[in-house]
Amino acid sequence: ELIRDNEIKWNKIKEYRGSFLMIRELEYFNIEGAIGWNQNWFRDLSMYFGGCAAVTVCDLCIYMARQKGIKSLYPFNANSLSKGDYIAFSKIIKKYLGPRLRGVDTLELYISGLLNYWHEIGCDSLNAESISGTVPWTESKNLIKKQIDSGMIVPFLLLNHKNRTMKNYQWHWFNLAGYKEDQGEFLVKAVTYGSFHWLNLQELWDTGYNRKGGIICIKR
């Protein structure tokens, strides 16, 4: 059964053994066939190599302009996206969350840049809260579910990770735009580089290092 509203797709598919697979995905935007922005499209080398934090903010603002009706978040036409407009927008966001020597490697840096941008454009009613990667993964699971159920994508910072299968996500910001639950396993839909992959949240959260990243929860 498929149920649609303005932002969310619900899937409930009956599985073998009488269990349920539940999938919830947000309606992310597309640019020239890619899901969100592909960082490889930047001509600015600093953004090409280190613009992941800015990309998640650009995507977040475009998403909220389209799905939440907050048009002031994106200074171009959110319903007619183009590479040129996105690059122009990224130059604005770069002033707040541009690449730096070690990247935007803390949740506090990210929130500071995000809130400064929102303040400058008069969106002080929006707020953001950081959830450290030191909290139990089950707590992050509940918060991610709550955000996605409310129709909000979730910026995620991963620093180092012991599992080599996570190497493409190390020291990287990306957005979560869905979750999937099946027989005790909880997967999140990670959107980055114009594509997405389903990742096991418990494995993603358990980095094996003392220094952690975490998630950003948007408050309205």
Side-chain angles (χ1 to χ4, degrees):
E1 181 186 7
L2 178 62
I3 304 174
R4 291 178 179 270
D5 60 22
N6 288 335
E7 302 165 55
I8 301 168
K9 290 188 289 188
W10 269 102
N11 279 328
K12 289 186 178 180
I13 305 170
K14 195 163 187 177
E15 288 282 350
Y16 315 118
R17 309 188 195 101
S19 64
F20 281 88
L21 166 67
M22 180 181 290
I23 306 174
R24 195 162 201 181
E25 298 178 77
L26 301 181
E27 295 280 7
Y28 221 90
F29 61 88
N30 291 274
I31 300 179
E32 297 191 15
I35 301 173
W37 181 254
N38 187 334
Q39 199 172 325
N40 289 327
W41 290 339
F42 281 126
R43 296 186 290 272
D44 178 337
L45 288 181
S46 67
M47 292 292 280
Y48 178 93
F49 288 110
C52 57
V55 167
T56 61
V57 171
C58 289
D59 278 18
L60 173 66
C61 289
I62 291 172
Y63 174 84
M64 293 176 70
R66 289 166 60 92
Q67 302 292 353
K68 302 296 183 181
I70 312 175
K71 303 301 182 184
S72 58
L73 290 176
Y74 182 62
F76 304 98
N77 186 348
N79 295 313
S80 181
L81 301 172
S82 69
K83 285 184 178 180
D85 286 349
Y86 193 105
I87 288 172
F89 184 44
S90 72
K91 291 178 180 178
I92 297 172
I93 299 301
K94 183 180 178 181
K95 299 173 186 176
Y96 301 90
L97 280 167
R100 56 203 73 193
L101 186 61
R102 290 186 57 81
V104 180
D105 61 346
T106 69
L107 304 177
E108 292 73 22
L109 269 175
Y110 188 94
I111 285 183
S112 175
L114 179 62
L115 295 184
N116 283 339
Y117 171 64
W118 285 349
H119 175 72
E120 289 293 324
I121 62 173
C123 286
D124 291 312
S125 62
L126 296 175
N127 206 347
E129 177 185 3
S130 63
I131 309 300
S132 170
T134 58
V135 307
W137 84 270
T138 50
E139 183 175 338
S140 71
K141 167 190 170 181
N142 292 333
L143 291 167
I144 290 167
K145 284 184 66 175
K146 184 177 179 180
Q147 286 281 283
I148 291 173
D149 286 348
S150 70
M152 189 65 68
I153 60 179
V154 181
F156 193 114
L157 170 62
L158 179 65
L159 298 177
N160 290 319
H161 203 291
K162 65 179 180 180
N163 189 335
R164 294 301 297 164
T165 64
M166 301 292 179
K167 64 181 181 179
N168 291 333
Y169 295 89
Q170 287 194 110
W171 221 266
H172 188 53
W173 282 94
F174 48 94
N175 284 324
L176 304 184
Y179 65 82
K180 182 190 300 184
E181 292 186 282
D182 182 29
Q183 300 182 48
E185 188 176 38
F186 187 83
L187 307 178
V188 288
K189 184 178 182 178
V191 178
T192 188
Y193 282 96
S195 186
F196 73 89
H197 291 90
W198 289 100
L199 304 177
N200 181 291
L201 179 63
Q202 185 173 6
E203 293 177 2
L204 183 65
W205 202 256
D206 181 18
T207 66
Y209 289 89
N210 291 328
R211 189 179 178 202
K212 309 287 187 179
I215 59 175
I216 304 295
C217 292
I218 307 303
K219 307 294 182 182
R220 296 183 66 190

